[in-house]
Amino acid sequence: MTKFHMAALGAALILGCSSAGAETPVNIARDLPSVTVETEHGPAEISRIQDPEHRLTGDWARTSRPCPDFCIQPMQPAPGVTTIGELELLEMLQDPEALVIDSRTSDWFRQGTIPGAVSIPYTYIIDELGRLGCEVDFDGWDCAEAKPVALFCNGLWCGQSPTAIRNMLEAGYPAERIYYYRGGMQSWRLLGLTVSGGEDMAEEAEGLCNPSDYAALVGQNIAAVTLPAGEEIRVLREGQPATMDFNPARLNIETDEGGVVLRVFCG
């Protein structure tokens, strides 16, 4: 998919706004009530919530997350990368040559994602470049045949997909084949678009996350920590961001290079 194709889609949808009325009260565009995309579980229809009075609630209605770590992201995460919106993302979801990546940690992914997106957490993106059309060579990765990919995370305040993008570029992924859906899940939900998975779990998971329960971990070496039942820890690749994620409570642990826990936080 090229930038020209995305521009053509946008123009077509804008022109559609001047045509006759829609069959549903809340369309994606005037003559576009829904889009069907392929997922690992079969076809899925993406539309918008039909209730014009619907409001965001719970975690997704928050306006102010502490920065750091949840700072407003730049419009362009790196030179050469194209930032896109929902209409362009829908086109990529329908493009068999492209891949849309949910780069959030797996606990977030399980709470609900964009239909058709695949889960590749930002901490593992380099390990998964083979899925994106790259091949291992003597110097690392050969990404001459890399796929067009769009990455997203939680929203304008989320640094997970920008971090993944910058790591991909360092590994040799062509910038012109990377697209950044900056709005992420918060903008997607704000527009009432279809969410697959546990779309109502974010508020519940927020109540499960209590960093004070894990305060004793600060100062310990993560390799020596025994976790409570029902939670899991990830071992990070050398050189990747030193954040370890726990499930299902969205609890994160930040360590130094030696694996010593610096702090525990909800993210």
Side-chain angles (χ1 to χ4, degrees):
M1 187 189 69
T2 65
K3 296 179 185 178
F4 173 79
H5 290 148
M6 290 197 297
L9 172 76
L13 292 172
I14 291 170
L15 288 173
C17 291
S18 62
S19 58
E23 295 180 359
T24 55
V26 186
N27 283 349
I28 295 172
R30 181 178 292 273
D31 294 321
L32 187 67
S34 67
V35 168
T36 300
V37 301
E38 289 298 324
T39 76
E40 60 181 4
H41 304 296
E45 184 180 26
I46 297 175
S47 60
R48 297 176 68 188
I49 294 170
Q50 292 303 301
D51 178 8
E53 300 302 317
H54 185 267
R55 298 288 188 273
L56 288 182
T57 59
D59 202 37
W60 298 106
R62 292 173 60 190
T63 63
S64 305
R65 292 169 173 82
C67 169
D69 295 290
F70 308 107
C71 303
I72 297 173
Q73 297 300 308
M75 184 60 69
Q76 187 181 43
V81 173
T82 300
T83 301
I84 61 174
E86 291 74 26
L87 299 182
E88 294 82 8
L89 190 72
L90 287 169
E91 183 185 11
M92 293 193 73
L93 285 166
Q94 298 173 88
D95 183 350
E97 302 301 319
L99 194 64
V100 174
I101 298 171
D102 185 335
S103 58
R104 302 173 299 163
T105 51
S106 58
D107 50 343
W108 277 110
F109 178 79
R110 285 195 293 269
Q111 293 166 30
T113 191
I114 294 171
V118 299
S119 174
I120 305 180
Y122 75 105
T123 48
Y124 291 101
I125 193 70
I126 302 304
D127 292 325
E128 299 292 338
L129 290 182
R131 293 175 62 185
L132 312 184
C134 299
E135 295 184 359
V136 176
D137 66 12
F138 293 108
D139 297 320
W141 290 95
D142 177 0
C143 293
E145 302 299 323
K147 299 178 181 181
V149 295
L151 285 82
F152 69 91
C153 47
N154 273 325
L156 312 177
W157 45 270
C158 180
Q160 295 178 79
S161 50
T163 297
I165 288 169
R166 290 189 284 269
N167 288 341
M168 292 169 69
L169 293 172
E170 271 189 38
Y173 211 96
E176 66 272 14
R177 297 182 198 170
I178 301 177
Y179 299 85
Y180 171 42
Y181 174 40
R182 182 171 177 261
M185 289 306 300
Q186 190 153 29
S187 293
W188 187 266
R189 289 175 181 271
L190 180 64
L191 290 170
L193 288 160
T194 302
V195 174
S196 64
E199 51 265 86
D200 297 322
M201 291 176 58
E203 185 172 2
E204 176 185 345
E206 184 179 20
L208 296 173
C209 186
N210 186 0
S212 62
D213 292 342
Y214 300 85
L217 298 183
V218 176
Q220 295 189 47
N221 188 300
I222 197 68
V225 172
T226 301
L227 299 176
E231 296 178 346
E232 62 186 22
I233 191 170
R234 286 183 169 165
V235 178
L236 301 185
R237 294 179 66 253
E238 183 177 355
Q240 292 296 307
T243 299
M244 297 185 176
D245 68 298
F246 289 72
N247 296 314
R250 302 207 330 269
L251 189 72
N252 288 273
I253 289 182
E254 182 179 314
T255 69
D256 63 14
E257 293 180 357
V260 175
V261 177
L262 300 176
R263 68 188 183 109
V264 180
F265 62 98
C266 296

